[in-house]
Amino acid sequence: MAGAGPRVLIVAGEVSGDHQGALLARVLRRCRPDLSIAGAGGVEMAAAGVDVLVDSVRWGVIGYVEAYARLPVFALRFWGLVRLIERARPDLLVLVDFPGMNRELARHFAGRLPMVYFVPPQIYFRRGRTAARMARTAVRLLAVLPFEAEAYRSAGADVVFIGHPAVDAAQEDAGSAGRLREEWGLLPGPVIGLLPGSRVQEIRALLAPMLAAARELRAGGGAQFLLPVASPFLRSQIQRAIARVGCPVRLVPGRALDVMRVADIVVVASGTATVEAACVGVPMVVAYRLSRLTDWIARRFVVTPDVYRVGFSIPNIVVHRRIVPELLNAEVNGARIKAEVERLLAAPEARAQMRDDLAEVRRRLGPPGVLARAAEETLRVLDSPRGVTLR
């Protein structure tokens, strides 16, 4: 972490965390060019000027059973990060998303190091005492969803609602849909975006049924398909899946938001991409799959019954009603995805209503300037009088 200015260490995990960490790092650099920023992340953080000491983009695991099976690996990575942070002795530790790892790092360094947590663990519609435990860690939480901020505040946590970074991303001028159609050689007719996620497990679980639906939709109505590849390490896995199905799908390196801008409908894995789709205003069908045992554990011990009434996707949770269709587990199959997409394609009024509902989601996610507010809060903690030092 060589540099003349204060030392900031960012810990992000998975592709999405690398992306969010890069966004924050760029704004921090603009605000304070003297900062020395290092951390755990990936290629996006490196491109943003972060000295990436550990590549953590492939560390994600979906499911409780799957995570338990990898506890020894988790422990090795956790203690490796602890040693890294202790050697670096940063002036500020910035945790970005990645709740399984970063929640434990926050507890470990509580009272030893000033900390900011950008995109803290989700607690809404969740059982347990995560909010109370985070409140005891003396970390500034930068919540990106309004109801998460309220839940943390009720537990006594030091939390600020800054808004969701997707609000800023959707504001960026990327050109018209017409220009994008020309760039990608798209013909007149419906364009469907396929977004199966950014984790290997998500691709394995969701891409095959998405492609099965795409094959039937193309045969029946000549639809065209775009798939943004979230990270280069996923490309070969995606290409093999497409070859098995035999359906023409144009792969786009990254640029998920541009795919959303040009698409008539997107079929999207539950997660951050649904928030981005809401901010762009594109109608969507949300899909997700869990193992049977993980699903049973979640229903029995983790989530509250409200999640099955309101929905599990963030757009539905934000407005507290079902505005986008959701498919979960056994419902995620080619026939069901095809039916949901055809229903929306055949009903312009339904798509218009969904766009209106998504505009309400976007309004509730806060005004533009999210990353500027995140950087302001981060620097406020960095510049505040330090009552703790790493020892």
Side-chain angles (χ1 to χ4, degrees):
M1 296 177 66
R7 296 166 299 175
V8 175
L9 195 142
I10 301 175
V11 178
E14 306 181 294
V15 173
S16 60
D18 179 41
H19 177 67
Q20 304 293 2
L23 294 175
L24 180 59
R26 284 193 179 93
V27 181
L28 288 173
R29 282 242 182 255
R30 286 201 297 269
C31 295
R32 291 280 294 274
D34 65 320
L35 290 180
S36 175
I37 308 178
V43 292
E44 287 202 55
M45 282 174 54
V50 178
D51 181 11
V52 175
L53 307 174
V54 177
D55 187 334
S56 57
V57 294
R58 303 193 195 196
W59 284 10
V61 177
I62 301 170
Y64 306 108
V65 177
E66 295 82 353
Y68 295 151
R70 294 176 61 83
L71 277 176
V73 174
F74 174 89
L76 285 173
R77 290 169 173 170
F78 172 78
W79 289 111
L81 287 173
V82 168
R83 289 191 294 271
L84 172 68
I85 295 166
E86 290 176 339
R87 286 196 304 269
R89 300 180 65 83
D91 297 296
L92 178 68
L93 177 62
V94 177
L95 308 172
V96 180
D97 203 356
F98 202 28
M101 183 70 71
N102 280 339
R103 184 171 47 220
E104 298 308 314
L105 287 174
R107 292 176 186 170
H108 185 82
F109 287 103
R112 304 175 60 198
L113 192 62
M115 290 184 288
V116 168
Y117 201 142
F118 181 41
V119 194
Q122 183 177 337
I123 57 172
Y124 201 71
F125 285 166
R126 300 290 180 102
R127 297 184 174 102
R129 296 181 53 78
T130 295
R133 289 170 182 159
M134 292 301 296
R136 293 196 294 268
T137 61
V139 57
R140 173 72 52 84
L141 305 176
L142 307 184
V144 299
L145 298 170
F147 47 85
E148 294 284 330
E150 286 301 318
Y152 273 115
R153 192 171 293 114
S154 296
D158 177 10
V159 60
V160 178
F161 171 57
I162 58 167
H164 201 286
V167 173
D168 284 356
Q171 294 283 318
E172 295 174 1
D173 182 15
S176 67
R179 183 189 65 76
L180 292 169
R181 291 184 75 105
E182 182 180 349
E183 177 185 347
W184 289 328
L186 298 171
L187 301 173
V191 176
I192 312 299
L194 304 177
L195 291 91
S198 59
R199 302 177 178 106
V200 170
Q201 284 175 274
E202 289 173 327
I203 303 297
R204 192 178 297 137
L206 299 175
L207 183 55
M210 286 185 182
L211 292 173
R215 181 179 56 200
E216 298 303 316
L217 287 163
R218 183 172 177 81
Q224 301 162 91
F225 300 92
L226 297 171
L227 194 160
V229 181
S231 184
F233 77 85
L234 298 169
R235 190 178 184 88
S236 61
Q237 181 186 3
I238 292 170
Q239 288 174 322
R240 288 194 299 271
I242 293 172
R244 284 193 295 270
V245 174
C247 177
V249 177
R250 183 181 183 92
L251 299 185
V252 180
R255 298 180 66 180
L257 285 162
D258 281 349
V259 168
M260 293 174 186
R261 290 182 178 104
V262 79
D264 296 287
I265 297 167
V266 296
V267 184
V268 57
S270 181
T272 300
T274 65
V275 187
E276 293 172 337
C279 291
V280 171
V282 60
M284 71 186 86
V285 177
V286 182
Y288 216 66
R289 272 180 168 174
L290 300 168
S291 69
R292 289 184 179 180
L293 188 50
T294 288
D295 184 49
W296 181 84
I297 292 172
R299 291 172 184 267
R300 180 68 178 84
F301 301 107
V302 181
V303 299
T304 67
D306 286 338
V307 76
Y308 300 103
R309 175 177 55 83
V310 172
F312 58 84
S313 64
I314 295 176
N316 288 343
I317 295 174
V318 168
V319 295
H320 224 72
R321 56 191 173 90
R322 289 182 179 266
I323 62 171
V324 301
E326 299 176 345
L327 304 178
L328 180 64
N329 295 336
E331 298 171 333
V332 182
N333 58 71
R336 185 66 185 277
I337 294 172
K338 173 178 177 285
E340 292 291 343
V341 171
E342 284 181 330
R343 179 181 63 81
L344 288 171
L345 286 175
E349 69 284 355
R351 297 201 305 275
Q353 180 61 57
M354 192 181 296
R355 291 191 190 96
D356 288 344
D357 291 335
L358 294 176
E360 176 61 24
V361 173
R362 186 167 61 249
R363 284 191 292 271
R364 295 190 186 191
L365 293 176
V370 173
L371 292 167
R373 291 192 292 274
E376 180 183 0
E377 291 296 332
T378 300
L379 294 174
R380 182 173 288 123
V381 174
L382 175 65
D383 294 334
S384 63
R386 292 178 181 81
V388 294
T389 56
L390 187 57
R391 54 185 183 276

